[in-house]
Amino acid sequence: MPGESGADQLVASGKADFGVSYQESVTQARVQEVPIVSIAAVIQHNTSGFASPVDKNIQSPKDFEGKVYGGWGAPVEKEVITSLMNTEDGDVEQVGFVNMGDSDFFTAVARDIDFAWIYYGWTGVEAELRGEELNMIYLTDYSEKLDYYTPVLTTNEDHIENDSELVKAFLAAVTKGYEFSIENPSEAADILIEAEPDLDAELVKASQEWLKDKYKDDAQRWGEQKESVWTNYSEWMAENGLLEGDFNATEAFTNDYLPN
């Protein structure tokens, strides 16, 4: 576990060879000349969105007005909410923002907040298992520029330049694992549960079943990334004041080390 420093910092410094990150984080790192590179997309499309219990009656971004959002305090959160609300002439200044950190979503919406940003493949699936109906507002329903890669696998430029065989070997193994997960989601879940027995076994199995078709989706192979996806999202970040510097998409990601 990376601790407070975060996986990006560990990978960039060489203290970790590989890490799990997100396109938004890699994009911001690259404009700050942090030497991390995305080497594979774990899933092809952004399945995240703003979730709320149906009794909160949040059915569109305009309904965020008068509600309280629970997040982790990153600037991108308010900008994403603002951009979605702007499509319906909503006023983001009428939204309350609370930093809830790693608090449990279900506990938080019952006590402190009205909606939060979740990955449906985990928290949404958990809601299904709990029999708790959610309203979901997916980012991709409002802008194709928000259909970015999240999560991604990263390494540092030093490995790319000086130890490419390590990167190829790592991705060969990881690809084999994800291909197995696509074909055998229940068995893949069992492997994870055995390694991390504290996880909710029912949730792990249900999540893998939901994700199995999302890993490769419409790509030719697992892990493939498109330059247009990186460019589109960087343009959105720049338009919303989240990038301070020039971004070069071709330096931020590579498909060169994925198995053919």
Side-chain angles (χ1 to χ4, degrees):
M1 297 298 290
E4 291 185 6
S5 62
D8 288 350
Q9 289 84 352
L10 291 180
V11 171
S13 67
K15 293 179 181 179
D17 296 310
F18 304 97
V20 178
S21 189
Y22 315 89
Q23 185 175 330
E24 59 265 48
S25 178
V26 175
T27 301
Q28 289 176 318
R30 293 302 312 189
V31 299
Q32 296 169 8
E33 300 184 353
V34 177
I36 62 172
V37 180
S38 174
I39 53 176
V42 174
I43 57 178
Q44 282 295 309
H45 296 283
N46 186 354
T47 63
S48 73
F50 296 103
S52 59
V54 292
D55 61 8
K56 303 285 187 180
N57 199 31
I58 301 174
Q59 301 182 37
S60 74
K62 176 73 172 175
D63 295 330
F64 292 159
E65 291 182 352
K67 301 296 194 298
V68 176
Y69 168 74
W72 58 95
V76 69
E77 295 172 275
K78 187 172 184 178
E79 295 306 325
V80 169
I81 291 172
T82 300
S83 67
L84 266 59
M85 293 185 74
N86 284 345
T87 66
E88 299 181 345
D89 295 323
D91 182 5
V92 73
E93 298 307 318
Q94 294 188 40
V95 181
F97 286 82
V98 172
N99 189 345
M100 68 179 211
D102 296 326
S103 298
D104 174 69
F105 168 81
F106 299 97
T107 302
V109 292
R111 186 182 61 194
D112 304 315
I113 67 167
D114 297 304
F115 67 107
W117 195 348
I118 71 165
Y119 286 107
Y120 193 88
W122 188 255
T123 307
V125 170
E126 183 178 1
E128 292 181 12
L129 294 176
R130 295 165 66 118
E132 299 188 21
E133 190 176 354
L134 299 179
N135 283 330
M136 281 294 300
I137 296 174
Y138 291 100
L139 275 60
T140 53
D141 288 342
Y142 292 87
S143 173
E144 68 173 9
K145 290 185 176 182
L146 294 176
D147 191 12
Y148 52 85
Y149 298 119
T150 178
V152 297
L153 302 182
T154 61
T155 191
N156 59 56
E157 287 183 350
D158 184 63
H159 284 336
I160 294 285
E161 295 171 5
N162 301 312
D163 202 354
S164 61
E165 291 305 311
L166 173 66
V167 182
K168 288 180 181 178
F170 172 76
L171 283 180
V174 172
T175 299
K176 185 175 181 181
Y178 276 108
E179 289 176 344
F180 180 84
S181 298
I182 292 166
E183 297 298 326
N184 307 278
S186 181
E187 291 87 343
D190 287 336
I191 294 170
L192 177 57
I193 293 161
E194 183 178 357
E196 291 289 342
D198 291 338
L199 292 173
D200 181 330
E202 183 184 18
L203 176 55
V204 172
K205 284 183 174 290
S207 175
Q208 283 300 300
E209 183 64 31
W210 191 87
L211 284 166
K212 68 179 182 181
D213 297 325
K214 308 289 191 300
Y215 288 126
K216 184 178 175 183
D217 208 294
D218 52 2
Q220 293 186 336
R221 54 182 172 168
W222 176 83
E224 190 91 38
Q225 301 172 81
K226 296 178 182 177
E227 183 176 342
S228 60
V229 174
W230 283 86
T231 300
N232 281 343
Y233 185 62
S234 68
E235 289 176 351
W236 180 89
M237 294 184 79
E239 290 165 2
N240 288 276
L242 294 169
L243 284 188
E244 297 180 1
D246 296 326
F247 175 73
N248 186 329
T250 60
E251 295 178 350
F253 82 98
T254 179
N255 292 317
D256 292 349
Y257 303 96
L258 292 168
N260 294 325

